[in-house]
Amino acid sequence: MAVTALTRVSNGAYSNLQLNQLIDQSDISPRDAGLLTTIVYGVIQHRMTIDYQLKPFIKHPQKVAPWVNILLQTAVYQMQYLERVPKRAIFNETIQIAKQRGHEGIRRFVTGVLHQMDRVGLPDLDEITDPLERQAITYSMPKWLIESLTNQLGAAKTQSILASINQPANQSVRVATDQISLLEAQQALRDEGYDFEASQVAADGLVLKGKPANQATLFKNGQLTIQDESAMLPAESMALQPNMMVLDACAAPGGKTVQLAGQLSAASRGQVVALDIHEHKVKLIKQNAKRMHVNDRVVAQALDARKVGDVFEDETFDAILVDAPCSGIGLIRRKPEIRYEKQLTDVQALAKIQLSILDAVAKKVKINGIITYSTCTILNQENRDVVKAFLAQHPDFESVRVNTKHDLKGSRTTDYLEIYPDDYDSDGFFVSQFKRVR
């Protein structure tokens, strides 16, 4: 199943969706599902390391079928990173799969590679002489990304981020405190045997251990949603009033939309207008709003946020959230394949789109209203540089300080808030706010 999932991911599928689909379609035990998930994410996270270690044992890589290479990657991953899987089991399973999925020649090839690795040992990464190459191979991170982070954050912070991103992602959830108090939710989870701790990042967040969050009664009742702790901060920092008219300009799949709507009151006609460029994603927003019991306060529609001027009058909204499309580099722990898919040119192209969205929505917020700009990336080109460019082009706005309920990074000297993956073991995130002054 791991080889199947990884083969699909190598052809462009998302790892999390493939895993969910394979697990849902099978009757494997939770323990086996855990091992499957570990192998799939592990191979993706450490792919550059594993390929470097495999290279000396594959004389003609162009002749090896992609699935056979993936099969060998799963073997190396287990040998290197999983202490509780015996070597004989790794070898037996790998050879059996080669035999079942291939033919006798493939079985012999795979057997030969495994036994040669066992005899000779895997290459030592410390023998890589070029420091950048060694860092890239050790942490399985593209060189351009390491160079960008080092230039922007310094060597020590970059090293700390690299050391953290291949750790497992936390299972974090947000309690819908418009429906149930945090204490009541904690007691309900305790009664169902969940182990958890309060989030140190987001006021309504919990970090669950053990059982999957979507099995909880609270989740099934729409009083709990799966959301990263950092992703809760943009909506939390907006501190909306119940009667506000709010625009969520880039809303799908709707996690932040429902969080914003929870701060509003249907009785006082508060509303979130949620936009996405794709019709099928608008359906996801509507489903999310219905599941979380806020669909009476959410109007979702298909619209490119850069074209809001075609639909909405100036000064329509009290507050606007632009959770902009971005490279997603802050999500590497949760979506490990992102690191191999993006290039510096992608980041530069996205920065232009982000700025054009901000330009388009600027006139739609009322005077004294606030635009919140957020991304799930940690690169300055999409964060600080976009903020600087927007403020330079819009003298009618001024930067205001982003405040969170836990007063995160309270001693920082910047108005914007930067969360890196190594800060709190959450996703990397950026949040900034601009107030319209005239």
Side-chain angles (χ1 to χ4, degrees):
M1 287 171 79
V3 172
T4 299
L6 287 163
T7 303
R8 290 175 184 171
V9 171
S10 73
N11 291 325
Y14 290 115
S15 55
N16 55 340
L17 299 181
Q18 283 309 308
L19 278 168
N20 291 343
Q21 192 179 330
L22 281 169
I23 291 167
D24 289 346
Q25 289 171 354
S26 71
D27 57 356
I28 60 171
S29 69
R31 189 177 170 192
D32 280 346
L35 179 59
L36 168 64
T37 303
T38 298
I39 293 172
V40 170
Y41 277 129
V43 168
I44 298 170
Q45 284 169 331
H46 300 281
R47 194 175 83 196
M48 289 168 67
T49 315
I50 292 168
D51 285 348
Y52 177 83
Q53 291 172 323
L54 266 174
K55 195 175 179 182
F57 305 101
I58 300 177
K59 298 289 182 281
H60 305 287
Q62 68 280 3
K63 294 182 180 178
V64 179
W67 74 265
V68 177
N69 194 59
I70 287 166
L71 175 61
L72 288 168
Q73 287 174 337
T74 65
V76 174
Y77 171 72
Q78 291 175 90
M79 288 162 67
Q80 282 285 82
Y81 299 99
L82 298 186
E83 295 171 0
R84 291 167 61 188
V85 182
K87 187 164 61 180
R88 67 176 186 281
I90 297 167
F91 280 30
N92 288 343
E93 289 290 324
T94 305
I95 292 164
Q96 280 301 315
I97 294 167
K99 191 176 170 182
Q100 286 166 14
R101 288 187 67 147
H103 49 70
E104 181 57 22
I106 289 174
R107 185 198 67 78
R108 282 202 305 271
F109 168 72
V110 167
T111 304
V113 170
L114 292 174
H115 287 302
Q116 196 186 355
M117 283 194 300
D118 196 30
R119 268 196 319 276
V120 178
L122 295 170
D124 186 351
L125 304 184
D126 290 337
E127 292 174 3
I128 303 171
T129 51
D130 179 72
L132 180 60
E133 176 81 9
R134 186 167 60 248
Q135 225 177 4
I137 297 298
T138 301
Y139 295 105
S140 205
M141 278 281 274
K143 287 181 186 177
W144 76 265
L145 198 42
I146 297 175
E147 284 182 311
S148 296
L149 291 172
T150 303
N151 290 338
Q152 293 174 14
L153 303 172
K157 181 65 175 174
T158 300
Q159 178 64 32
S160 177
I161 291 170
L162 292 174
S164 77
I165 53 162
N166 290 328
Q167 301 304 313
N170 286 333
Q171 182 181 212
S172 56
V173 296
R174 182 180 62 80
V175 175
T177 50
D178 56 312
Q179 298 173 52
I180 186 172
S181 75
L182 205 55
L183 284 173
E184 287 170 327
Q186 288 174 329
Q187 189 56 55
L189 288 167
R190 219 174 271 122
D191 291 346
E192 289 195 334
Y194 280 91
D195 184 20
F196 59 85
E197 44 193 60
S199 169
Q200 56 180 327
V201 177
D204 296 339
L206 299 171
V207 179
L208 301 193
K209 305 274 168 60
K211 291 197 293 184
N214 62 2
Q215 292 178 7
T217 304
L218 290 180
F219 180 86
K220 291 167 185 170
N221 291 347
Q223 296 168 306
L224 191 78
T225 187
I226 298 167
Q227 192 175 3
D228 186 78
E229 298 164 87
S230 299
M232 301 175 204
L233 295 175
E236 180 188 297
S237 71
M238 289 170 74
L240 302 176
Q241 298 301 311
N243 61 341
M244 282 186 168
M245 186 77 170
V246 182
L247 176 66
D248 187 354
C250 313
K256 296 177 187 68
T257 305
V258 297
Q259 189 180 357
L260 293 169
Q263 297 178 42
L264 304 178
S265 163
S268 60
R269 297 191 176 177
Q271 191 176 83
V272 182
V273 175
L275 309 180
D276 193 86
I277 196 167
H278 301 293
E279 192 70 62
H280 68 280
K281 290 189 175 179
V282 172
K283 287 179 184 169
L284 293 177
I285 300 169
K286 289 176 178 175
Q287 286 167 7
N288 224 328
K290 190 174 182 183
R291 192 182 83 76
M292 299 299 288
H293 313 294
V294 291
N295 48 321
D296 56 345
R297 280 155 274 174
V298 173
V299 177
Q301 63 189 89
L303 182 69
D304 185 331
R306 291 169 290 187
K307 296 180 180 174
V308 289
D310 299 348
V311 178
F312 300 103
E313 299 289 327
D314 289 354
E315 298 186 41
T316 297
F317 299 100
D318 299 290
I320 294 176
L321 172 62
V322 176
D323 185 49
C326 71
S327 61
I329 299 299
L331 308 179
I332 281 182
R333 193 188 277 122
R334 203 172 295 283
K335 295 181 177 175
E337 61 268 33
I338 281 174
R339 69 186 88 185
Y340 312 118
E341 295 169 353
K342 303 295 180 187
Q343 303 294 331
L344 189 54
T345 49
D346 298 322
V347 171
Q348 292 158 342
L350 283 160
K352 289 178 183 173
I353 293 169
Q354 292 151 1
L355 192 56
S356 64
I357 293 171
L358 284 172
D359 286 340
V361 304
K363 289 272 192 285
K364 305 306 162 193
V365 72
K366 294 175 183 175
I367 291 169
N368 294 321
I370 288 176
I371 296 176
T372 299
Y373 173 72
S374 63
T375 72
C376 54
T377 188
I378 53 176
L379 295 170
N380 289 352
Q381 292 96 323
E382 301 176 82
N383 295 340
R384 297 181 191 184
D385 296 354
V386 171
V387 168
K388 189 176 176 184
F390 176 78
L391 291 171
Q393 292 169 21
H394 295 271
D396 49 338
F397 282 83
E398 63 182 30
S399 173
V400 292
R401 187 176 176 84
V402 173
N403 292 308
T404 61
K405 290 181 180 176
H406 287 344
D407 192 26
L408 292 184
K409 301 196 174 182
S411 61
R412 72 184 192 274
T413 56
T414 59
D415 285 339
Y416 52 74
L417 175 63
E418 293 169 314
I419 305 291
Y420 294 100
D422 61 324
D423 291 339
Y424 307 102
D425 291 332
S426 63
D427 289 345
F429 238 85
F430 178 87
V431 190
S432 58
Q433 291 178 327
F434 328 113
K435 182 178 183 178
R436 186 172 181 188
V437 290
R438 59 180 181 275

